[in-house]
Amino acid sequence: MRYDQAVNIEDLHRIAKRKLPKIIFDFIEGGLEDERGLARNEAAFHKHRLLPRYLVDVSKRDQSASLFGRTYASPFGISPTGGVGLYRRNGDLMLAEAAAAANIPYIQSGASNASMEEAMRIAPNNTWYQLYAAKDGDVSDAKIGRARDSGVGALVLTVDVPASSKRERNLRNGFAKVRGGTVMEAFKLKPSIILEALTHPQWVMEYVRHGGAPTLANWAPHAPPGASISEVIKFGRGMTPASAQTWRDLERYRRLFPRPIVVKGIMHPADAIRAVELGVDGILVSNHGGRQLDQAPASLDVLPGIKAAVGDKAAVLLDSGVRRGADILIALCLGADFVFFGRPTLYGAVAGGVPGVTKAISIFRDEIDLVMGQIGCPSLDQLGPDFLWREDWTQNR
């Protein structure tokens, strides 16, 4: 199957798995420890049922949505995903290009291989930037200054990585190692892993042709002068996680960045309230795609509590576990203002480059349109809890 023959995200998933060496695909696909968080994220959507309303005129359906003063064509965007250039060379910029063409937000990862300035040249109205705070506060401040000066639409501070996670697929594949109780990046491959990679010659040829692993372009300007690609990568890895980051740092970031700030990874209502009190504009409810704390609840299960705590004081966004257009509508019914996903567009990039990402976006867009028609909802502003079936639903509701 080619990417343009895909009828759902799972089709793109299978194509990407076929194209990539196991070590690379596992890096995208894996969670941590027993990977219960991965299963929990998707299962959370499966618990809900959409309750249709009939005899409604749905001949015209509008899935546009507004966020931070801008109207987007659909109520979803692309989550930050690191290392995309390792899966598909210039993959970060492919995501940006497809997002701009589709008029949806693209959050560039703090571990991206392209720079925020490059993304802004391609998608000036759609690029946001994810900040992984550095152990050196001056580096964090300098990156925020670059985001401010380049015109990035929103700053997305990720707070759910106070310590590294035990991603066991990466440990087995030689992508990481444990030293003194700390998980560290590594790249020492067993012969069996190398032999398996050679069965994917297209990826290997691209990797070799471009000189190996791509750099971490957003860390490069802050690394020592003249640093090589490997030294930049080592520098960036050494600057994270910023285990000492606190609410005081968030206050400083708020002062430094004049446009919307979103805090990503908050799961507790009390933390959401405190972030809003400090002036953030959005809360991105996320358990890091099941990659950070395996015992964490699913993002969707946490969403209603965050919405109840925050109300209309800030935008409430959702990330993790989204695989269908119906999932996005369920999240909107539960209180999300916008929904983000990462792996589906990675599958698209691997499967077909920019057209593959566009295919993933169009699959979600088409599914949303169809389900809106099926449930009797001509516009997203009509969505709410009444479109979700409940066991205590009464006949005269």
Side-chain angles (χ1 to χ4, degrees), residues 70 82 115 120 152 177 190 276 278 286 316:
R70 178 177 172 83
S115 70
M120 283 297 295
V152 163
K177 61 183 177 181
K190 295 179 290 186
V276 171
L278 292 179
S286 170
V316 176

Side-chain angles (χ1 to χ4, degrees), residues 108-149:
Q108 187 188 59
S109 170
S112 62
N113 302 116
S115 70
M116 66 180 85
E117 291 85 1
E118 290 175 296
M120 283 297 295
R121 285 194 288 271
I122 290 173
N125 298 315
N126 301 78
T127 297
W128 302 1
Y129 180 68
Q130 176 202 35
L131 178 68
Y132 279 120
K135 293 176 181 178
D136 183 342
D138 290 340
V139 172
S140 297
D141 293 357
K143 291 173 80 172
I144 294 172
R146 287 172 53 207
R148 178 194 63 230
D149 295 344

Side-chain angles (χ1 to χ4, degrees), residues 25-145:
F25 185 77
D26 278 356
F27 191 80
I28 297 173
E29 193 77 350
L32 73 154
E33 297 178 356
D34 298 313
E35 298 192 346
R36 293 173 183 169
L38 287 176
R40 198 177 296 123
N41 276 336
E42 295 191 34
F45 287 99
H46 300 165
K47 292 186 299 185
H48 294 278
R49 303 290 182 268
L50 287 163
L51 191 66
R53 305 298 300 271
Y54 295 123
L55 297 176
V56 177
D57 182 356
V58 290
S59 58
K60 295 180 180 179
R61 301 186 288 275
D62 179 12
Q63 64 176 273
S64 64
S66 296
L67 184 63
F68 303 142
R70 178 177 172 83
T71 299
Y72 295 99
S74 293
F76 59 79
I78 300 176
S79 296
T81 48
V84 184
L86 190 58
Y87 323 143
R88 180 89 183 220
R89 195 62 56 149
N90 294 321
D92 298 289
L93 302 182
M94 292 176 182
L95 296 175
E97 182 178 342
N103 188 25
I104 60 171
Y106 159 63
I107 308 176
Q108 187 188 59
S109 170
S112 62
N113 302 116
S115 70
M116 66 180 85
E117 291 85 1
E118 290 175 296
M120 283 297 295
R121 285 194 288 271
I122 290 173
N125 298 315
N126 301 78
T127 297
W128 302 1
Y129 180 68
Q130 176 202 35
L131 178 68
Y132 279 120
K135 293 176 181 178
D136 183 342
D138 290 340
V139 172
S140 297
D141 293 357
K143 291 173 80 172
I144 294 172

Side-chain angles (χ1 to χ4, degrees), residues 275-296:
V276 171
E277 289 174 346
L278 292 179
V280 306
D281 303 276
I283 303 294
L284 180 44
V285 182
S286 170
N287 65 7
H288 214 97
R291 292 165 70 85
Q292 197 56 33
L293 177 65
D294 209 25
Q295 295 76 23

Side-chain angles (χ1 to χ4, degrees), residues 180-199:
T182 300
V183 179
M184 305 174 64
E185 295 291 331
F187 201 67
K188 292 184 178 180
L189 307 182
K190 295 179 290 186
S192 60
I193 297 293
I194 296 173
L195 287 173
E196 194 281 332
L198 292 174
T199 65

Side-chain angles (χ1 to χ4, degrees), residues 233-263:
I233 293 172
K234 184 177 180 181
F235 172 79
R237 300 305 184 200
M239 277 287 170
T240 57
S243 303
Q245 181 177 232
T246 67
W247 292 102
R248 190 171 299 173
D249 295 293
L250 176 56
E251 292 182 65
R252 187 175 80 256
Y253 304 153
R254 176 68 284 180
R255 292 193 299 269
L256 291 173
F257 193 75
R259 291 182 292 281
I261 290 184
V262 175
V263 179

Side-chain angles (χ1 to χ4, degrees), residues 150-170:
S150 64
V152 163
L155 183 72
V156 182
L157 173 66
T158 292
V159 297
D160 60 0
V161 190
S164 299
S165 58
K166 189 183 179 186
R167 299 178 185 174
E168 295 183 5
R169 294 199 205 195
N170 293 351

